[in-house]
Amino acid sequence: MITKKCIYSFLTFVAMTICSPAEQKTTSADNKPKNLVSAVESKKESVKVAAKESSIAGVTKSDVTAVENHNWSSWRGPLQTGVSTEHYKDGKLNPVPAWVYDTKGRGAPVVCDGKLFTWGYRGETSELVEVLSCLDAKTGKKIWEHEFKDFLSDTVYDRYTIGAPTVDPETKRVYLTTHYGLFMSFDFEGKEIFRISMMEDFGRMSFPNSRVGSVSIESDLAILHCISSNWGADGPAADRFYAFDKMTGELVWWSMPGVSPPVDSSFSTPVFETRDGKRVFYSGTGCGNVVCVNARNGKPLWRWQACKNGVNASVLLYKGSLISVHGDENVDTSDKGRMAAIKLPEKLAPAAPGAENNVLEPSAEVWRNPIGSSNGSPVLVGNQIYQLDDTGVLNAVNADTGVIEWTKKVATANVHASITFADGLIYAALLDGRLAILKPGDKDAELVQEVKLSGQCIGTPVISNGLLYVHTTDKFYCFTIENSGITWDKVPAPEIPQAGPAAALQIIPTEVVLTPGTSAKFRIRSLDKNGFVVNEAVKATWESFIPPTAKVKSTLDAKFNDAGELVAAPDAKLSAGAFKATAEGGIFSTIRGRVLQNLPIAMDFESYELNEDQPTEGLKFAYPPLPWIGARFKFDVRDINGQKVFAKTFDRILFQRATTFIAPSNLSNYTIQADVMTDGSARVKSDIGLYNQRYLITLRGNANQLEVSSNLERLKEVVPFKMTVNTWYVLKTRVDVSADGSGVVRAKVWDKAQPEPEAWTMEVKVAMAHKNGSPGLFSFTPLNQKRAYLDNVSVTPNK
């Protein structure tokens, strides 16, 4: 939201719901981005630009607030409630589409300054690609487009694009995060600004439901939400939020406000407000909580357990209360589904260091009703809540009391879509492909109009400047709301408190990856007790730091030079650790980092000391290499017949399928090889595999096959190969990419007691090859019955 009184733009994104630059196709010219100077200095200029460019679709105003009102730059709109600010004179939807665009989709578009950004997909099986399209919002003409190819995700069927792009109206940057972990930023002309592989760099996890959600913008931060299994103390899987500098993509903070492990993935996206002098956000999590987090520094403030599984819907704020809905089993009853209001605490403080996050007492609940919605979010109009539940029933709820005032059956079911409200009407995109328009009353809702669309409606309708947009699993539609005039309600500007005295430091980036011979630079700024920036440039002294709670007492093999740069020497070893920066007055903060190896990489695990006790098995083990992503609690190092090996653990059934990435995600043109073995019998064995440039090469024990895959729905080829249990084999793979973008994934496997065969066991051709990616290790131990082992891992440049 932007107003004349406040030059800070505010944008929140509420969710409904990883490929290299060479893997995309761009149909626009490579335009030079505007000079944005810095996030602070560009604010005044961005207001001028917004005012200058506020003539859209026949509406000309110099009022910057009006521009924000007819933009729909986040999924839930300018009010964070799914409610449009538009009012029409003689408004009625023309049932004939104004235009149709050829992409399928399961999410929602966004609109900003005459441009529409939609995330869809095209193609079938191995040719399927996701597409970020920039279109003329009025005509549907393509302005630019980028394609992305899935890799290593658990997406099944065509469950793609369950989310939405995001536009920051201040900088005109477009943000997108995908289910396979690409987090990307583009300028308004389509030039890529940055790309981060959340899966390979931060351990973002993938699930068959493929829910993604949206990026949220708060001040100079781009915040995203996912389940991750990173490294070190953040190795255990948990529901986390990551905040990046929206201009550079550097990590500013991360937060785990719920409990670990999660039992579901959640695409609930933050809803923001100012409370107790802080900018905070509220969101559902995959561990069944609704949480409150300081949006500026990531500190968890409280959580409230709503259900036993995940909370996917986004919340509403109403008169000092928070309203949430879920569709899973409640924590205090065996019933499924609940809409509830909880009283928001007036005073907010983070938990003490080392203590559990603050938990709201059950007495915080003001009211509840039995409405269940697993994914769809409610809308709020005055004191009325409208919610389409899982069974396809539209509910009208009194926000003060929670009383269900009326219900109306409009569909057989609802999956992900949320309803949208505009000018007295409810717009519902229904699972059976109908766009239904209803007029709610005191005791019922009248079905005013209905339009049959091709395909299923999984996403949410979006309305901007008299145009309605909706994606189906077949097409992307634009309809005109015919009218003789449009007016817009003003959007309240957020209250941004003035910063107080400095109380802490914030270091950007807060996490780094180095390789031998490289360095990292940092920006250090001071924050007040509420997380607001006091000074953008602070001098500090650095020292190595080991957290007192660290299970592995490790230091990073790097040093700070006189210029304040963290330098890994050419002979730096594989390591991980933290550094502490302290400034005048004793205020401080820490950063953490990893030194990963350059090629060639060789690991035989013999140097590891087996000092940890495994009481259930009566043996000694060592934790896996600390810098490896996703290894903690999924793998360990143990002795097998006098040989130290990398073993798949049975820590918990949730991790029967495990992945660890062992080197940077920008590597390419390499060969990875390892010795592999499975316990078991002729009927029960485990799977062992290697990752190479975002392809998984796996020995499937029970199937007696060698398999090459990426996403199993997009690429899966197998050849017979019978594994004998308790026998060491050698698995080897390389990926060769041609100048035209096609490639060949090569794999071979042989008994370690025999010489290496000259021929490759498999050679799989791919039309659009992944050109980079982290080398990694994989194992699947079905029901944690039989262990799998790896040893003598090597990664070498291709010759």
Side-chain angles (χ1 to χ4, degrees):
M1 307 171 188
I2 303 178
T3 71
K4 296 175 181 178
K5 296 180 180 179
C6 180
I7 62 173
Y8 282 86
S9 67
F10 167 66
L11 183 60
T12 34
F13 306 95
V14 186
M16 336 146 284
T17 32
I18 321 181
C19 118
S20 67
E23 290 173 69
Q24 66 186 26
K25 296 178 181 177
T26 308
T27 57
S28 67
D30 189 15
N31 296 318
K32 184 178 180 181
K34 298 175 182 178
N35 181 14
L36 297 173
V37 191
S38 70
V40 175
E41 294 300 320
S42 65
K43 294 182 185 295
K44 292 183 179 179
E45 184 62 29
S46 66
V47 171
K48 293 177 183 178
V49 171
K52 181 179 178 181
E53 298 179 353
S54 64
S55 177
I56 301 176
V59 180
T60 304
K61 294 188 179 182
S62 60
D63 189 329
V64 179
T65 305
V67 173
E68 279 303 287
N69 287 351
H70 67 233
N71 284 339
W72 191 288
S73 48
S74 66
W75 169 63
R76 290 287 275 170
L79 299 173
Q80 306 185 86
T81 59
V83 176
S84 169
T85 61
E86 298 184 359
H87 300 276
Y88 314 107
K89 184 177 180 180
D90 305 319
K92 184 179 180 180
L93 185 85
N94 186 333
V96 178
W99 49 265
V100 179
Y101 194 69
D102 188 22
T103 57
K104 306 172 183 180
R106 296 165 182 258
V110 292
V111 185
C112 184
D113 289 9
K115 290 184 176 181
L116 179 139
F117 302 89
T118 179
W119 183 32
Y121 59 95
R122 295 193 188 104
E124 303 289 340
T125 61
S126 62
E127 303 303 315
L128 188 146
V129 292
E130 290 189 314
V131 184
L132 175 64
S133 304
C134 174
L135 312 178
D136 183 288
K138 188 173 183 179
T139 68
K141 180 180 178 181
K142 181 173 70 175
I143 301 172
W144 53 260
E145 198 167 78
H146 293 281
E147 293 183 355
F148 316 100
K149 197 171 182 64
D150 187 5
F151 62 91
L152 304 181
S153 82
D154 290 338
T155 297
V156 295
Y157 312 119
D158 286 349
R159 290 177 179 170
Y160 286 94
T161 69
I162 304 177
T166 294
V167 180
D168 175 19
E170 175 194 19
T171 63
K172 301 299 185 291
R173 293 282 180 90
V174 183
Y175 299 87
L176 181 69
T177 181
T178 72
H179 181 238
Y180 37 96
L182 286 182
F183 168 45
M184 298 165 288
S185 172
F186 303 89
D187 69 13
F188 227 44
E189 287 70 44
K191 181 177 180 179
E192 183 175 306
I193 305 301
F194 62 74
R195 176 185 299 235
I196 298 167
S197 175
M198 293 296 297
M199 177 188 288
E200 297 163 295
D201 296 341
F202 295 96
R204 185 196 194 281
M205 299 178 72
S206 167
F207 302 91
N209 58 47
S210 307
R211 296 184 293 238
V212 178
S214 303
V215 177
S216 303
I217 304 298
E218 165 67 18
S219 184
D220 59 354
L221 303 177
I223 302 171
L224 57 86
H225 180 196
C226 64
I227 307 295
S228 67
S229 174
N230 200 352
W231 64 274
D234 291 289
D239 192 300
R240 294 183 175 91
F241 296 86
Y242 290 85
F244 296 86
D245 184 297
K246 70 180 183 182
M247 305 299 288
T248 67
E250 296 168 300
L251 184 65
V252 179
W253 58 254
W254 73 94
S255 180
M256 193 199 85
V259 296
S260 179
V263 291
D264 190 12
S265 61
S266 171
F267 62 3
S268 178
T269 305
V271 171
F272 295 78
E273 74 163 347
T274 300
R275 178 167 289 270
D276 190 28
K278 304 170 181 64
R279 290 294 292 162
V280 302
F281 69 74
Y282 310 95
S283 179
T285 68
C287 54
N289 281 271
V290 174
V291 299
C292 176
V293 177
N294 186 314
R296 299 300 178 93
N297 60 24
K299 292 186 180 298
L301 298 171
W302 56 257
R303 66 179 178 89
W304 178 71
Q305 192 79 38
C307 62
K308 293 183 178 180
N309 291 310
V311 178
N312 287 296
S314 294
V315 304
L316 297 172
L317 301 179
Y318 177 73
K319 292 184 178 179
S321 292
L322 178 149
I323 298 163
S324 74
V325 66
H326 69 82
D328 287 297
E329 187 176 347
N330 294 300
V331 291
D332 53 359
T333 74
S334 60
D335 298 329
K336 290 189 67 175
R338 175 186 299 171
M339 178 180 283
I342 57 174
K343 183 67 175 176
L344 294 171
E346 293 293 337
K347 296 296 181 181
L348 301 171
E356 293 288 335
N357 293 337
N358 297 322
V359 180
L360 296 189
E361 296 295 331
S363 59
E365 186 176 293
V366 178
W367 56 254
R368 68 169 69 178
N369 63 49
I371 294 172
S373 177
S374 300
N375 299 290
S377 299
V379 301
L380 177 65
V381 183
N383 72 337
Q384 287 289 298
I385 302 167
Y386 299 111
Q387 174 74 61
L388 186 61
D389 67 22
D390 287 344
T391 66
V393 172
L394 178 63
N395 297 264
V397 179
N398 186 300
D400 294 299
T401 65
V403 171
I404 302 173
E405 298 186 337
W406 54 258
T407 63
K408 188 178 186 69
K409 185 75 169 176
V410 296
T412 57
N414 184 53
V415 180
H416 296 297
S418 301
I419 57 178
T420 299
F421 187 94
D423 195 30
L425 298 176
I426 294 171
Y427 295 81
L430 305 177
L431 186 61
D432 60 10
R434 289 177 295 134
L435 174 63
I437 304 173
L438 302 103
K439 184 175 182 179
D442 293 336
K443 298 182 179 181
D444 195 3
E446 174 192 357
L447 181 60
V448 175
Q449 197 173 357
E450 192 173 86
V451 181
K452 180 63 175 144
L453 308 176
S454 176
Q456 293 180 312
C457 296
I458 310 291
T460 300
V462 162
I463 295 171
S464 178
N465 196 46
L467 297 172
L468 181 146
Y469 308 95
V470 62
H471 233 140
T472 75
T473 54
D474 280 350
K475 302 289 182 182
F476 180 70
Y477 291 89
C478 172
F479 293 92
T480 301
I481 301 176
E482 295 179 341
N483 63 84
S484 55
I486 307 177
T487 59
W488 290 268
D489 293 332
K490 288 190 175 183
V491 178
E495 176 191 352
I496 308 296
Q498 292 293 318
L505 296 182
Q506 188 172 74
I507 307 169
I508 304 171
T510 191
E511 182 171 321
V512 295
V513 174
L514 301 174
T515 54
T518 64
S519 62
K521 296 181 180 180
F522 300 88
R523 293 177 284 136
I524 305 176
R525 60 191 189 184
S526 58
L527 307 180
D528 72 1
K529 66 178 183 180
N530 292 322
F532 295 107
V533 175
V534 179
N535 189 337
E536 284 283 1
V538 175
K539 293 182 178 181
T541 57
W542 292 94
E543 60 183 315
S544 183
F545 176 73
I546 300 177
T549 57
K551 291 187 176 182
V552 179
K553 308 299 183 181
S554 174
T555 58
L556 186 65
D557 190 9
K559 296 180 179 179
F560 276 91
N561 62 18
D562 293 340
E565 300 168 328
L566 183 61
V567 180
D571 60 350
K573 295 178 175 57
L574 178 70
S575 57
F579 280 86
K580 179 180 178 180
T582 304
E584 184 179 356
I587 59 176
F588 66 91
S589 187
T590 61
I591 61 102
R592 69 178 201 161
R594 300 178 290 149
V595 173
L596 298 178
Q597 297 163 287
N598 287 323
L599 301 185
I601 297 170
M603 176 70 74
D604 64 7
F605 306 102
E606 291 299 329
S607 64
Y608 282 73
E609 298 292 333
L610 309 185
N611 296 324
E612 304 293 331
D613 290 313
Q614 174 53 272
T616 59
E617 299 178 68
L619 55 78
K620 294 281 189 178
F621 74 96
Y623 287 110
L626 188 61
W628 287 5
I629 290 288
R632 178 71 72 92
F633 298 127
K634 300 175 187 175
F635 298 93
D636 62 26
V637 179
R638 59 179 62 194
D639 184 279
I640 300 294
N641 300 322
Q643 178 180 348
K644 292 178 184 177
V645 301
F646 197 59
K648 173 68 177 62
T649 66
F650 290 170
D651 182 73
R652 56 192 64 171
I653 200 71
L654 179 67
F655 299 149
Q656 60 181 323
R657 183 178 184 270
T659 290
T660 180
F661 293 110
I662 68 174
S665 60
N666 62 354
L667 290 182
S668 62
N669 197 32
Y670 58 83
T671 295
I672 180 169
Q673 174 178 315
D675 299 345
V676 298
M677 181 174 73
T678 177
D679 280 344
S681 64
R683 293 191 176 188
V684 183
K685 291 174 280 191
S686 290
D687 299 348
I688 322 171
L690 303 174
Y691 291 101
N692 191 326
Q693 288 186 201
R694 299 174 179 171
Y695 296 97
L696 175 58
I697 297 83
T698 314
L699 276 170
R700 298 290 185 189
N702 291 332
N704 289 312
Q705 294 174 335
L706 176 62
E707 176 186 281
V708 171
S709 66
S710 190
N711 169 277
L712 291 174
E713 297 277 340
R714 310 276 76 85
L715 174 66
K716 177 185 175 181
E717 293 200 18
V718 300
V719 296
F721 186 88
K722 186 174 181 179
M723 288 182 70
T724 301
V725 300
N726 300 317
T727 299
W728 283 103
Y729 294 89
V730 181
L731 183 59
K732 181 177 182 178
T733 176
R734 64 181 282 165
V735 178
D736 295 289
V737 182
S738 302
D740 64 357
S742 63
V744 181
V745 183
R746 294 181 165 92
K748 66 171 71 173
V749 59
W750 67 96
D751 189 316
K752 186 179 180 181
Q754 303 299 319
E756 177 181 350
E758 184 175 340
W760 293 95
T761 311
M762 293 184 73
E763 296 186 83
V764 178
K765 296 180 179 179
V766 289
M768 185 177 173
H770 300 299
K771 297 176 176 61
N772 65 280
S774 296
L777 312 177
F778 168 83
S779 180
F780 174 50
T781 51
L783 299 179
N784 283 348
Q785 296 181 81
K786 304 299 176 181
R787 293 196 184 278
Y789 309 96
L790 300 97
D791 198 9
N792 298 314
V793 178
S794 70
V795 187
T796 56
N798 288 341
K799 297 179 180 179

